[in-house]
Amino acid sequence: MTTAGIRNSIDKLRREIDRHNYLYHTLDQPSIPDAEYDRLMRELQALEAEHPELISADSPTQRVGSEPVAGFGTVEHTVPMLSLGNAFNDDELREFHRRVTERLELSEGDTLDYAVEPKLDGAAVSLRYEQGKLVRGATRGDGKTGEDITHNVRTIPAVPLRLRGGGYPAVLEVRGEVFMPRAGFEQFNAAAASKGEKTFVNPRNAAAGSLRQLDPRLTASRPLDIYVYSVGYVEGGEVPDRHSATLSALQEWGLKICPERRLVQGVDGCIAYYKDIGERRAGLPYDIDGVVYKVDRVDYQKELGFVSRAPRWAIAHKFPAQEELTQVNAIEFQVGRTGAITPVARLEPVFVGGVTVSNATLHNMDELSRKDVRVGDTVIVRRAGDVIPEVAQVILERRPDNTVPVAAPDTCPICGSAVSRPDGEAVARCTGGLVCSAQKTEGLKHFVSRRALDIEGLGTKLIEQLVAADRLRTAADIFTLEKDELVALDRMGEKSAENLLAAIESSKSTTLSRFLYALGIREVGEATANALADYFGRLSAVMSADQEALQQVPDVGPIVASHVVAFFTEPHNREIIDELLRLGLVWPESEPQTLPKDGVLAGKTFVLTGTLVSMTREQAKEKIMALGGKVSGSVSKKTDFLVAGDNAGSKLTKAQNLEITVLDEVQLEKILFDQ
């Protein structure tokens, strides 16, 4: 047979095997016996063995690499993998629906479709296809950065190495949930136990652990599956304009989609689906912990946007939390990095939701008083997903006679400073900010946490040791630690010290948003830090901004602005920042996006709605801001111009009712370009 003939035979076998993989793993409709499938695979393996120069990475024979990898590389997600907000009851879901309809300015007669599906209890991953070939798999990580697990996702039979058919974008990044079906989990644990090997607590841990194996052969030996639930990044092509249609397209391209997905109307359709799937939950072949609802129209999704690390157009409706009874052994007060004093119940350890729980939050003094939790009480402990365990209820009939109510402390349990509780606030705070070691310790924990500087290995116990030894006074001291003094600490060997110093050095290269978040400015969470970084571009611009300038940043109000100004006005804080920069902390900076005060559009507020033809709405926003104008997401009496593109919705009606000037795209271009 000629080389061309052999190549054709190999290509034909690969297509045939890929087709049967699709029928079996994606559609659950096998068309040939296993023995015939095995015969086809052996025939392909034999041909590739005789002609190794014809082997390609997307061949069905190449799913499992022969050698373990040395470690996990880092992957920066082109589009962040966001988490979801949670609803724990019907009222919270209805409130979510109300917020959505109000932001979209829909009337009572307008219908809103939701794409719904079960929320699998597994591990989120991202799959990247280029020209139809799988080139990368990554964990979610912190949402912006994950780990490269390409060698492991390739071993999952339901993950196509090459997309089917045509019409898919040149670059397609999809998100999905890797899980271990219940039957496979039971079989895997039984086999491991018979060999005296480690077993997993639940299928979720089994899936996550399997994806973090350095040897892909171990991952391949485990019964993993995947359902793809969304698209992340697209380049060189398009996907449908509705989420439900996108999922159908993904299935046609060979990706496995949850068969329980549905399209429902309105909040009542969501609740009906939730009840139905909840009744059938025990009979499903995989674990789920709730339902995910997504606004189906992609243009609506874009209009709704995001808040913090979650989209405004989607929510997870969790099933009732798993609960257990246990006893309260003690109630202690923890002091946070901002001085907030939080009551914590120390519990008799109890197994809840797949983990052993020995501590539970009581939130604040109001909550502690309302529930009247006392030492010696028998309580119901609730844990829902990854939410911190909480004391849900006291079983009063089991309360011992000698219990007494818990009083709020008058002085800080750490430093003895007075405790202050401003009128109208539920949170009591220690006033000893400069002398309280707990605030220093908690602030340092925050500084090195995963979503801040992300210094792996510098954990709670180690920070507490270094603070107690007076070796860590400020965050800058972290970057002056030396190997000899680390080795002298408890449970710290030479290798651990070397790894920690390497992690500290690596953390010096960060982002402005992470750095701002790490500083621990009051009320500046991840979303606000991102907004400040995006708007000002440079640390110096943030530090010099006054309250008026700060309030130009989306979602920054007067309270947050006052905290930011106060933080950067404090000389001590500036000294620490200068020292951190001197010690080598760096990040990419950009030009500030502050509005030109003398721009032709200064003082004018625009709202964009509908689809623009000559530019995207984001490009229009940038041009308006470059000329000094502001762009808002909603119409109000303060709006000066509404720009109405094709298919403009209720914002146009509202603008007309308020007698706001409405511009079409041609009129907008005239304003933007005829300067």
Side-chain angles (χ1 to χ4, degrees), residues 101-385:
T101 53
E102 284 187 359
R103 283 184 176 274
L104 294 175
E105 298 181 351
L106 301 179
S107 65
E108 290 186 7
D110 293 330
T111 59
L112 185 63
D113 290 339
Y114 287 98
V116 302
E117 61 184 299
K119 184 179 181 298
L120 271 73
D121 204 10
V125 299
S126 172
L127 305 176
R128 183 180 177 95
Y129 289 86
E130 295 180 0
Q131 306 302 327
K133 294 182 180 180
L134 176 67
V135 297
R136 191 176 69 205
T139 63
R140 180 183 180 277
D142 64 1
K144 292 185 177 179
T145 304
E147 290 181 323
D148 189 332
I149 53 167
T150 308
H151 64 293
N152 285 335
V153 296
R154 287 176 58 88
T155 70
I156 302 173
V159 173
L161 302 181
R162 177 189 284 273
L163 297 178
R164 290 174 51 81
Y168 43 75
V171 178
L172 177 65
E173 204 170 89
V174 298
R175 278 73 197 270
E177 194 86 359
V178 172
F179 62 97
M180 189 175 286
R182 288 172 177 167
F185 171 73
E186 297 296 337
Q187 293 170 3
F188 175 80
N189 261 359
S194 67
K195 299 174 186 176
E197 299 173 350
K198 174 188 174 182
T199 59
F200 286 99
V201 173
N202 53 47
R204 179 186 185 181
N205 289 355
S210 299
L211 288 177
R212 299 200 76 258
Q213 297 297 317
L214 294 176
D215 189 344
R217 290 169 292 191
L218 291 176
T219 305
S221 70
R222 298 179 178 180
L224 298 179
D225 206 339
I226 185 173
Y227 285 145
V228 172
Y229 54 72
S230 71
V231 167
Y233 177 71
V234 172
E235 181 183 314
E238 296 181 348
V239 294
D241 60 3
R242 287 184 175 261
H243 180 76
S244 55
T246 296
L247 292 182
S248 296
L250 294 179
Q251 187 171 43
E252 290 177 5
W253 294 333
L255 294 156
K256 192 169 185 178
I257 309 299
C258 181
E260 296 290 345
R261 70 184 179 98
R262 300 287 185 272
L263 188 65
V264 303
Q265 282 193 342
V267 67
D268 291 333
C270 291
I271 291 173
Y273 177 86
Y274 176 85
K275 291 179 178 178
D276 173 65
I277 204 74
E279 291 171 357
R280 297 189 290 113
R281 179 184 182 188
L284 296 174
Y286 41 78
D287 280 356
I288 63 173
D289 59 1
V291 172
V292 175
Y293 312 111
K294 297 174 182 174
V295 173
D296 193 46
R297 282 180 52 168
V298 175
D299 60 334
Y300 280 175
Q301 293 181 6
K302 292 177 180 177
E303 186 170 344
L304 289 164
F306 307 90
V307 58
S308 186
R309 297 186 306 118
R312 288 193 177 103
W313 41 266
I315 196 168
H317 190 175
K318 305 297 283 287
F319 287 129
Q322 298 185 53
E323 301 174 337
E324 292 290 346
L325 287 177
T326 190
Q327 189 174 44
V328 178
N329 292 332
I331 293 176
E332 299 176 359
F333 292 90
Q334 290 184 340
V335 183
R337 62 184 174 86
T338 63
I341 296 178
T342 303
V344 177
R346 306 300 185 192
L347 307 170
E348 190 66 28
V350 62
F351 197 69
V352 185
V355 300
T356 299
V357 172
S358 54
N359 303 308
T361 181
L362 292 163
H363 300 293
N364 52 54
M365 285 308 304
D366 283 351
E367 188 74 355
L368 176 61
S369 299
R370 184 181 70 80
K371 291 180 178 176
D372 189 23
V373 183
R374 306 181 185 185
V375 176
D377 276 344
T378 297
V379 296
I380 296 174
V381 179
R382 172 186 297 149
R383 180 176 182 272

Side-chain angles (χ1 to χ4, degrees), residues 450-505:
R450 191 178 69 178
R451 296 190 178 104
L453 266 287
D454 191 20
I455 303 179
E456 187 173 354
L458 191 51
T460 298
K461 298 295 183 184
L462 192 54
I463 288 176
E464 290 173 350
Q465 283 190 69
L466 291 166
V467 169
D470 202 29
R471 183 58 184 85
L472 287 188
R473 297 182 179 181
T474 73
D477 293 335
I478 294 169
F479 300 93
T480 66
L481 292 171
E482 297 180 354
K483 180 179 175 180
D484 290 346
E485 59 186 333
L486 290 174
V487 171
L489 297 173
D490 292 344
R491 300 180 181 179
M492 179 65 73
E494 286 199 18
K495 184 63 176 176
S496 297
E498 290 171 358
N499 290 341
L500 175 55
L501 290 174
I504 291 172
E505 186 64 28

